Amino acid sequence: MALFEKQKKDLSRPVPRHIAIIMDGNGRWAKKRGMPRSYGHAAGSETFRRIATYCKDIGVDFLTVYAFSTENWKRSEEEVGAIMGLLQKYLIEALEKMEKDRVKICFMGDLSRLPEELQALCANAVEKSKHFDGVQLNICLNYGGRDEILHAAREYARRCASGECTPEELDEETFSSLLYSAGVPDPDLIIRPSGELRLSNFLLWQAAYAEFYYTDVLWPDFTPEELEKAIAAFNSRSRRFGGTK
Ligand code: FPP
C-alpha cells in the first residue's frame, strides 16, 4: 500500500494545523529536462493539486501556498502568462468540483493587478466556497510579506487619521486583523523545497514561531511521502514559543 494511503487511516500522529509551502524549484526542474520554465510550472501545479488533496485527507486545517509573489512580475511576460493561465485552469476546475471537494478557497495578496478574468474567478471561488469546512486553502497571489505589512500599516494610519483609534492602542491582535491573513492562525510548519534556505518575503509577520523544513527535492518532485517527512520532522521538534519546556 502506498505510504499516503496508509497515513490516511492513521489518526495517531499529530498533524500541523497550518502548513505553508514555498513551491520552489519549478524552473530548475524544467531546465534539467531541457524544457521551458512554463513546463516546470505546469508540473508544479500538478504537485500542488496532489499535496492539497493529501492535506485535506490527513486533516490539515489550513494550507497556504506561495503561488506568485510581488517580485515575480520581474519574470518574462511569457512565464507570468503561463503561471496566470495555470491558476485560471485550477480555479475553473476547483469551481466545477467545489461541492465534492468542500475546500474553502481564500487569497492573500493584492489581486487588483491580476488580469480581470482571473480576478473574477478568484472572487467567484471565494464566494462559492466560503461556507465549506474542509481544509482552507490560502493561495498567495501577487503577495509579498512587506507589501502586506505596509498595507496593514496604511490602513491603521488611515483609521488613526479619521479619529477611530490612536497609535498607542495598536496591539498584535489588531495588527494581525489588518493583514491579508486575518482570521487564519499563524503557520505551524513552513516548507521550502529546492534547497534554498530563505523566506523570500513569505509570511514575514506570521512566521514568527513557525517551524521550518527545507529539502533539496524540487517542487514538481515533492510527493505526499516528502510531506510526511516534513510532518515527522515537525513532530520531533520542541516548540517553546520563547518560553521554557
Ligand atoms: C517558484 O519556482 C514557483 C513560482 C514562482 C510559481 C508557482 C506556481 C505554480 C506552482 C503554478 C500555479 C499555482 C497554483 C496554485 C495552481 P521557480 O520558478 O522560482 O523555480 P526555480 O527557482 O527553479 O527557477
Side-chain angles (χ1 to χ4, degrees), residues 23-28 37 41 44-45 48 67 72 75 87 90:
M23 303 186 289
D24 195 16
N26 298 344
R28 276 163 285 167
R37 296 179 60 81
H41 295 311
S45 74
F48 156 74
N72 287 153
R75 299 186 178 205
L87 283 158
Y90 169 71

Side-chain angles (χ1 to χ4, degrees), residues 35-46:
M35 297 298 280
R37 296 179 60 81
S38 55
Y39 183 73
H41 295 311
S45 74
E46 290 309 317

Side-chain angles (χ1 to χ4, degrees), residues 1-9 54 58 224-225 228:
M1 194 193 303
L3 175 62
F4 70 95
E5 279 170 337
K6 255 194 288 182
Q7 295 290 1
K8 263 191 212 180
K9 296 176 183 69
Y54 187 68
I58 61 172
E225 285 82 355
E228 282 299 339

Side-chain angles (χ1 to χ4, degrees), residues 118-143:
L118 184 55
Q119 285 186 47
L121 278 170
C122 293
N124 207 0
V126 169
E127 179 55 30
K128 295 217 163 110
S129 70
K130 68 183 180 196
H131 302 300
F132 292 148
D133 51 6
V135 62
Q136 175 170 326
L137 171 64
N138 303 305
I139 303 179
C140 296
L141 205 40
N142 192 22
Y143 172 88

